[in-house]
Amino acid sequence: MVVFGRFVDFPADLALPALATAVFSAYYILFDVFSAGLARQRYKVPFPRMDGPAPFHRAQRAQANQVEQMPIFLSLMWASAVCVNGPLAGVVGLVWVALRISYAHTYRKTAKRPTLLTRTLPAYACLYYYVFSLLYGSLHVLCEQAGLGSELVVVGLVGFVVVMLVLGALNAKAMLSGAFDDAPEKK
Protein backbone atom coordinates (compact mmCIF):
# COMPACT_ATOMS: atom_id res chain seq x y z
CA MET A 1 0.00 0.00 0.00
CA VAL A 2 1.27 3.51 -0.83
CA VAL A 3 0.70 6.15 1.85
CA PHE A 4 2.05 9.71 1.55
CA GLY A 5 4.16 8.71 -1.43
CA ARG A 6 5.93 5.75 0.13
CA PHE A 7 5.21 2.06 0.26
CA VAL A 8 4.00 0.88 3.67
CA ASP A 9 3.86 -2.78 4.53
CA PHE A 10 1.02 -2.58 7.06
CA PRO A 11 1.76 -5.72 9.08
CA ALA A 12 5.45 -4.87 9.39
CA ASP A 13 5.47 -1.06 9.67
CA LEU A 14 2.19 -0.42 11.45
CA ALA A 15 1.64 -3.51 13.57
CA LEU A 16 3.09 -1.96 16.75
CA PRO A 17 1.12 1.31 16.48
CA ALA A 18 -2.01 -0.77 15.85
CA LEU A 19 -1.19 -2.85 18.93
CA ALA A 20 -0.68 0.29 21.05
CA THR A 21 -4.03 1.63 19.83
CA ALA A 22 -5.81 -1.64 20.60
CA VAL A 23 -4.25 -2.05 24.07
CA PHE A 24 -5.03 1.52 25.10
CA SER A 25 -8.58 1.37 23.72
CA ALA A 26 -9.30 -1.95 25.44
CA TYR A 27 -7.91 -0.69 28.75
CA TYR A 28 -9.87 2.54 28.48
CA ILE A 29 -13.15 0.74 27.79
CA LEU A 30 -12.70 -2.12 30.25
CA PHE A 31 -11.10 -0.27 33.15
CA ASP A 32 -11.40 3.52 32.94
CA VAL A 33 -15.02 3.72 31.80
CA PHE A 34 -16.20 0.88 34.03
CA SER A 35 -14.28 2.22 37.04
CA ALA A 36 -15.95 5.61 36.66
CA GLY A 37 -19.36 3.97 36.41
CA LEU A 38 -18.73 1.62 39.30
CA ALA A 39 -17.53 4.52 41.47
CA ARG A 40 -20.78 6.34 40.72
CA GLN A 41 -22.70 3.24 41.82
CA ARG A 42 -20.54 2.47 44.88
CA TYR A 43 -20.68 6.01 46.25
CA LYS A 44 -24.34 6.47 45.28
CA VAL A 45 -23.83 9.53 43.10
CA PRO A 46 -26.86 9.79 40.80
CA PHE A 47 -26.32 10.66 37.16
CA PRO A 48 -25.60 13.42 36.04
CA ARG A 49 -24.35 14.82 39.37
CA MET A 50 -20.58 15.10 39.81
CA ASP A 51 -20.33 15.84 43.52
CA GLY A 52 -19.32 13.02 45.79
CA PRO A 53 -16.49 11.70 47.93
CA ALA A 54 -12.83 11.92 46.92
CA PRO A 55 -12.60 8.33 45.58
CA PHE A 56 -15.52 9.09 43.24
CA HIS A 57 -13.82 12.27 41.99
CA ARG A 58 -10.53 10.44 41.43
CA ALA A 59 -12.24 7.72 39.36
CA GLN A 60 -14.06 10.37 37.29
CA ARG A 61 -10.90 12.43 36.75
CA ALA A 62 -8.82 9.39 35.84
CA GLN A 63 -11.33 8.49 33.13
CA ALA A 64 -11.73 12.09 31.95
CA ASN A 65 -7.97 12.62 31.83
CA GLN A 66 -7.59 9.57 29.59
CA VAL A 67 -10.22 11.07 27.24
CA GLU A 68 -8.30 14.36 27.22
CA GLN A 69 -5.00 12.66 26.36
CA MET A 70 -6.30 10.14 23.81
CA PRO A 71 -6.78 12.40 20.72
CA ILE A 72 -3.33 14.01 20.84
CA PHE A 73 -1.66 10.66 21.47
CA LEU A 74 -3.43 8.82 18.67
CA SER A 75 -2.99 11.59 16.11
CA LEU A 76 0.71 12.08 16.88
CA MET A 77 1.50 8.37 17.08
CA TRP A 78 -0.21 7.56 13.79
CA ALA A 79 1.26 10.55 11.96
CA SER A 80 4.71 9.56 13.20
CA ALA A 81 4.09 5.91 12.30
CA VAL A 82 3.04 6.71 8.73
CA CYS A 83 5.44 9.57 8.01
CA VAL A 84 8.55 8.78 10.02
CA ASN A 85 9.05 5.29 11.48
CA GLY A 86 6.20 2.87 12.19
CA PRO A 87 7.96 0.38 14.47
CA LEU A 88 9.61 3.10 16.58
CA ALA A 89 6.32 5.02 16.83
CA GLY A 90 4.70 1.79 18.03
CA VAL A 91 7.34 1.11 20.67
CA VAL A 92 7.06 4.68 21.98
CA GLY A 93 3.28 4.26 21.85
CA LEU A 94 3.40 1.10 23.95
CA VAL A 95 5.56 2.90 26.51
CA TRP A 96 3.02 5.76 26.57
CA VAL A 97 0.17 3.27 27.01
CA ALA A 98 1.95 1.56 29.94
CA LEU A 99 2.53 4.95 31.58
CA ARG A 100 -1.09 6.02 31.08
CA ILE A 101 -2.40 2.73 32.46
CA SER A 102 -0.18 3.19 35.51
CA TYR A 103 -1.32 6.81 35.79
CA ALA A 104 -5.04 5.96 35.78
CA HIS A 105 -4.58 3.07 38.19
CA THR A 106 -2.55 5.28 40.54
CA TYR A 107 -4.93 8.24 40.28
CA ARG A 108 -7.87 6.09 41.33
CA LYS A 109 -5.90 5.32 44.53
CA THR A 110 -4.29 8.69 45.30
CA ALA A 111 -4.15 12.22 43.93
CA LYS A 112 -0.65 12.92 45.26
CA ARG A 113 1.04 15.07 42.67
CA PRO A 114 4.62 13.74 43.01
CA THR A 115 3.37 10.19 42.49
CA LEU A 116 1.29 11.14 39.46
CA LEU A 117 4.15 13.15 37.93
CA THR A 118 6.31 10.01 37.76
CA ARG A 119 3.78 8.74 35.19
CA THR A 120 2.80 12.03 33.56
CA LEU A 121 6.19 13.53 32.72
CA PRO A 122 7.56 10.45 30.90
CA ALA A 123 4.26 10.20 28.98
CA TYR A 124 4.71 13.81 27.83
CA ALA A 125 8.25 12.93 26.76
CA CYS A 126 6.74 10.27 24.49
CA LEU A 127 4.43 12.86 22.94
CA TYR A 128 7.36 15.23 22.43
CA TYR A 129 9.26 12.45 20.63
CA TYR A 130 6.41 12.35 18.13
CA VAL A 131 6.33 16.14 17.76
CA PHE A 132 10.07 16.38 17.13
CA SER A 133 10.16 13.38 14.81
CA LEU A 134 7.39 14.92 12.71
CA LEU A 135 9.07 18.34 12.74
CA TYR A 136 12.41 16.85 11.74
CA GLY A 137 10.88 14.71 9.01
CA SER A 138 8.77 17.56 7.65
CA LEU A 139 11.60 20.09 7.66
CA HIS A 140 13.97 17.58 6.09
CA VAL A 141 11.57 16.84 3.21
CA LEU A 142 10.74 20.53 2.68
CA CYS A 143 14.41 21.56 2.64
CA GLU A 144 15.25 18.69 0.31
CA GLN A 145 12.44 19.62 -2.11
CA ALA A 146 13.53 23.27 -2.08
CA GLY A 147 17.16 22.31 -2.70
CA LEU A 148 18.26 23.77 0.63
CA GLY A 149 20.88 22.33 2.94
CA SER A 150 20.04 20.01 5.80
CA GLU A 151 21.55 22.52 8.26
CA LEU A 152 18.28 24.47 7.89
CA VAL A 153 16.51 21.50 9.47
CA VAL A 154 18.58 21.98 12.62
CA VAL A 155 17.98 25.75 12.54
CA GLY A 156 14.25 25.11 12.18
CA LEU A 157 14.19 22.68 15.11
CA VAL A 158 16.20 25.01 17.33
CA GLY A 159 13.93 27.90 16.36
CA PHE A 160 10.86 25.84 17.24
CA VAL A 161 12.30 24.93 20.64
CA VAL A 162 13.18 28.56 21.41
CA VAL A 163 9.72 29.80 20.41
CA MET A 164 8.01 27.09 22.48
CA LEU A 165 10.18 27.86 25.53
CA VAL A 166 9.44 31.59 25.28
CA LEU A 167 5.70 30.99 24.82
CA GLY A 168 5.69 28.50 27.69
CA ALA A 169 7.47 30.97 29.98
CA LEU A 170 5.08 33.77 29.03
CA ASN A 171 2.08 31.49 29.63
CA ALA A 172 3.45 30.39 33.02
CA LYS A 173 4.08 34.01 34.02
CA ALA A 174 0.54 34.97 33.02
CA MET A 175 -0.96 32.00 34.89
CA LEU A 176 0.99 32.76 38.06
CA SER A 177 0.07 36.45 37.93
CA GLY A 178 -3.63 35.63 37.74
CA ALA A 179 -4.05 37.00 34.22
CA PHE A 180 -6.51 34.22 33.37
CA ASP A 181 -8.59 34.54 36.54
CA ASP A 182 -12.24 35.37 36.10
CA ALA A 183 -13.01 39.05 36.27
CA PRO A 184 -15.24 40.06 39.18
CA GLU A 185 -18.89 40.12 38.24
CA LYS A 186 -20.45 43.53 37.77
CA LYS A 187 -23.57 44.28 39.74
Side-chain angles (χ1 to χ4, degrees):
M1 158 182 357
V2 176
V3 178
F4 293 112
R6 75 178 186 99
F7 180 78
V8 177
D9 181 16
F10 176 75
D13 283 0
L14 301 179
L16 287 174
L19 178 64
T21 301
V23 169
F24 182 73
S25 299
Y27 178 84
Y28 172 75
I29 294 164
L30 292 172
F31 292 94
D32 292 328
V33 172
F34 285 151
S35 292
L38 290 172
R40 181 175 291 283
Q41 185 178 24
R42 178 176 181 192
Y43 298 105
K44 297 175 180 41
V45 179
F47 185 80
R49 294 184 62 177
M50 294 301 288
D51 55 332
F56 167 77
H57 285 283
R58 287 195 306 269
Q60 295 298 314
R61 281 305 310 150
Q63 184 266 337
N65 197 270
Q66 298 288 61
V67 169
E68 294 161 1
Q69 294 293 315
M70 191 182 321
I72 192 70
F73 162 68
L74 291 174
S75 59
L76 286 172
M77 181 188 67
W78 280 102
S80 183
V82 171
C83 298
V84 181
N85 184 320
L88 185 54
V91 168
V92 173
L94 288 168
V95 169
W96 184 90
V97 167
L99 289 164
R100 293 303 303 173
I101 287 171
S102 177
Y103 171 88
H105 178 73
T106 302
Y107 200 172
R108 283 191 287 272
K109 289 181 173 182
T110 181
K112 292 181 182 171
R113 186 179 173 128
T115 304
L116 293 174
L117 286 177
T118 63
R119 280 83 172 167
T120 303
L121 295 178
Y124 281 126
C126 293
L127 296 179
Y128 276 109
Y129 158 76
Y130 295 135
V131 169
F132 283 109
S133 71
L134 289 166
L135 278 171
Y136 177 81
S138 300
L139 290 171
H140 183 73
V141 168
L142 291 171
C143 287
E144 192 175 85
Q145 287 178 345
L148 302 171
S150 60
E151 60 276 356
L152 284 179
V153 173
V154 174
V155 171
L157 286 174
V158 170
F160 174 80
V161 169
V162 169
V163 167
M164 290 295 102
L165 289 173
V166 168
L167 290 176
L170 290 173
N171 184 56
K173 181 179 177 183
M175 289 294 292
L176 292 173
S177 72
F180 298 117
D181 292 350
D182 290 337
E185 291 184 28
K186 294 180 182 177
K187 294 184 180 184

